[in-house]
Amino acid sequence: MKLFSITLHVIKMPLRSPFMTHLGSVAEREGIIVEITDEDGVTGYGEGVAFSTPWYTEETVKTSLHMMSDFLIPLLKHRPVSHPDETLALFASIRGNKMAKAALEMALWDLYAKRKLLPLSRVLGGTQERIPAGVVIATDSISSAIEQIDHYLLEGYQRIKLKIHPGHDISVLADI
C-alpha cells in the first residue's frame, strides 16, 4: 500500500443523550478521525476512541494524537505495509497505546477494502448482512434506566449494556 497522506482530525460533538457514570456526567464526545489516502486517491477512515480525560482508560485524545503523530505515523511512513494485518508487528516496538494503534489500523483496513472493492465486513471475515445494534444506558436512577430501556427497545435495539458501579449495581439489576 503506497500511502500519500495521513491526516488526523480532532472532532467534538454533543451527545444526543448525555450519560452518567460514577465519575460524573458526559455531555459531549471528543475523538479523532484518521484519514489515510493512497497514491491513487483512495481514502480509508478510522476512529480514535479515547476520551478527553483518562477517566475510563489511560489513553486520551491528546496522548493518542501525540503517539500517532510522533511515533506511529513516522513508523508507517518509514516502513510501509502491504497489508493491514502487518500493522501489529510494525507497531510492536511501541508499548501500550492500543487505541492510537487501532485508529490507524482501522483506516488501513478501510482503505484496503475500498481498494479491493469489497465491503469491509467481508474483508474482515464477516458473514452477516445486518448486525444488531446495541445501546448503553448510564444513569443515576433506576426509574430513568427503566424508561431508557423501554424507549430503546421500542426503537428496535436488541442489545442493552447497563453501566453500573459499586453500591448501585445489584439493586438496579434486580429492579430491571
Side-chain angles (χ1 to χ4, degrees), residues 49-65:
V49 297
F51 285 93
S52 301
T53 59
W55 65 273
Y56 189 66
T57 67
E58 67 280 357
E59 284 183 76
T60 67
V61 170
K62 285 184 180 178
T63 61
S64 290
L65 279 171

Side-chain angles (χ1 to χ4, degrees), residues 3-10 32-38 41-48 68 73 76-77 103-104 106-108 110-111 114:
L3 306 181
F4 175 73
S5 67
I6 302 174
T7 308
L8 305 175
H9 305 275
V10 177
I32 303 168
I33 302 297
V34 177
E35 179 182 358
I36 299 180
T37 304
D38 71 7
V42 179
T43 300
Y45 295 93
E47 178 186 12
M68 284 190 271
I73 291 172
L76 198 53
K77 287 180 177 178
L104 288 165
M106 277 189 268
L108 288 169
D110 187 43
L111 174 61
K114 287 176 178 171

Side-chain angles (χ1 to χ4, degrees), residues 120-172:
L120 179 58
S121 62
R122 294 288 179 257
V123 171
L124 295 173
T127 58
Q128 294 179 308
E129 289 297 318
R130 300 186 75 130
I131 299 172
V135 66
V136 177
I137 305 290
T139 182
D140 59 353
S141 86
I142 294 170
S143 61
S144 175
I146 291 171
E147 282 179 31
Q148 289 180 49
I149 290 168
D150 288 342
H151 170 77
Y152 288 124
L153 288 173
L154 287 173
E155 284 193 0
Y157 287 94
Q158 298 178 23
R159 184 181 56 84
I160 295 173
K161 177 180 179 180
L162 181 64
K163 294 283 192 176
I164 57 176
H165 54 86
H168 192 71
D169 46 19
I170 295 172
S171 62
V172 172

Side-chain angles (χ1 to χ4, degrees), residues 1-4 6 36 38-39 72-92 101 104-109 111-112 115:
M1 298 172 70
K2 294 186 179 176
L3 306 181
F4 175 73
I6 302 174
I36 299 180
D38 71 7
E39 66 181 357
L72 300 171
I73 291 172
L75 266 178
L76 198 53
K77 287 180 177 178
H78 182 67
R79 289 187 281 170
V81 296
S82 59
H83 192 279
D85 62 11
E86 297 170 10
T87 57
L88 182 63
L90 177 64
F91 295 158
K101 292 174 182 179
L104 288 165
E105 185 179 353
M106 277 189 268
L108 288 169
W109 275 108
L111 174 61
Y112 180 80
R115 290 196 57 79

